């Protein structure tokens, strides 16, 4: 009697689970963009290099109405685009490397969760929030601010909205990275009751207040850290996360939201 055919070889193999810390496409593209811009900027003559800083860096005094006779490079258009373009310029390799280092763990999860369009739009919104915070606290400063730290801070804040949930990316294990990045997020009020989230917030704000990180102001205050921009980007990421998040919430959280509970 013939034995039944072995069908095991015909079964499609299970797809390999992707390590959580593997870089997704949108984040790779974002880091590549920062790198290309830095290489091109570093290769221009010194006069053009500083013109680029003034035309694309964020200068609070550009918005001073008492300086009607002062002309900054870029004209009126720079009053709009520099809210974002400052975040694409970096002073040196250590500056860009430091921002990328912080972005790798948090930006990876966020890029997987948001997808390309949402991720780039979110990074731009966080950059705008960082620039606004810097403008409010440095109203008459003529020193251009550059650096992606406002956007990076926003990505960190958005990531902690879901990163500490069971099965999410802060377990640092090997597994399905896409599934880990799409763990449902809790409403902000409930997330702020998590001791690990509160500990993270305390450490992050403490480090930024005491030491400052990332963004560099070039000009009248060489090498100073624009920590207020970090705060602006971080608060934007924390509060605006739900506007970008495509992952549905658990039914219980949806019921809480419909009953009027805070669901920022």
């Amino acid at each position: 009697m013939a034995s039944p055919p072995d069908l095991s070889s015909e079964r499609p193999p299970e797809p390999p689970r992707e390590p959580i810390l593997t870089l997704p496409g949108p984040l790779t593209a974002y880091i590549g963009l920062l790198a290309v811009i830095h290489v091109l900027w570093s290769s221009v003559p010194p006069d053009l290099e500083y013109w680029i800083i003034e035309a694309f860096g964020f200068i609070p005094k550009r918005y001073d109405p008492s300086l009607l006779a002062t002309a900054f490079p870029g004209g009126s258009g720079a009053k709009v685009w520099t809210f974002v373009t400052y975040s694409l310029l970096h002073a040196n390799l250590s500056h860009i490397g430091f921002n990328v280092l912080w972005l790798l763990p948090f930006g990876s999860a966020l890029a997987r969760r948001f997808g390309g369009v949402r991720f780039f739009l979110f990074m731009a919104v966080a950059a705008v929030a960082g620039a606004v915070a810097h403008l409010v606290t440095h109203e008459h400063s003529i020193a251009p601010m550059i650096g992606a730290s406002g956007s990076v801070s926003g990505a960190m804040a958005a990531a902690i909205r879901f990163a500490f949930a069971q099965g999410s990316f802060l377990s640092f294990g090997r597994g399905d990275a896409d599934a880990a990045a799409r763990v449902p997020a809790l409403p902000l009020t409930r997330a702020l009751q998590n001791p690990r989230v509160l500990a993270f917030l305390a450490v992050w704000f403490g480090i930024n207040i005491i030491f400052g990180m990332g963004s560099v102001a070039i000009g009248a205050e060489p090498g100073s850290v624009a920590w207020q921009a970090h705060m602006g980007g971080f608060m934007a990421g924390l509060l605006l996360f739900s506007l970008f998040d495509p992952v549905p919430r658990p039914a219980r959280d949806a019921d809480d939201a419909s009953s009027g509970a805070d669901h920022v």
Side-chain angles (χ1 to χ4, degrees), residues 2 18 21-22 26 35 42 55 73 82 86 116 128 182 192 195 199 201 204 213 225 233 253 262:
E18 190 174 0
L21 294 183
T22 301
S42 300
T82 56
Y86 81 92
V128 171
R182 296 182 68 84
L192 292 178
L201 292 175
W204 189 90
M213 291 185 179
V225 176
D253 295 329
D262 177 28

Side-chain angles (χ1 to χ4, degrees), residues 117-140:
V117 174
R118 280 190 176 93
F119 177 73
F120 276 92
L121 181 59
F122 175 85
M123 296 298 278
V125 169
V128 171
V132 170
H134 185 71
L135 177 61
V136 170
T137 54
H138 296 76
E139 185 178 359
H140 302 293

Side-chain angles (χ1 to χ4, degrees), residues 63-83:
Y63 306 91
D64 191 336
S66 66
L67 296 178
L68 298 178
T70 301
F72 287 97
S76 299
K79 292 184 176 182
V80 178
W81 67 59
T82 56
F83 275 93

Side-chain angles (χ1 to χ4, degrees), residues 201-222:
L201 292 175
V203 171
W204 189 90
F205 277 97
I207 289 175
N208 275 271
I209 291 173
I210 296 174
F211 299 106
M213 291 185 179
S215 284
V216 175
I218 298 177
E221 301 170 354

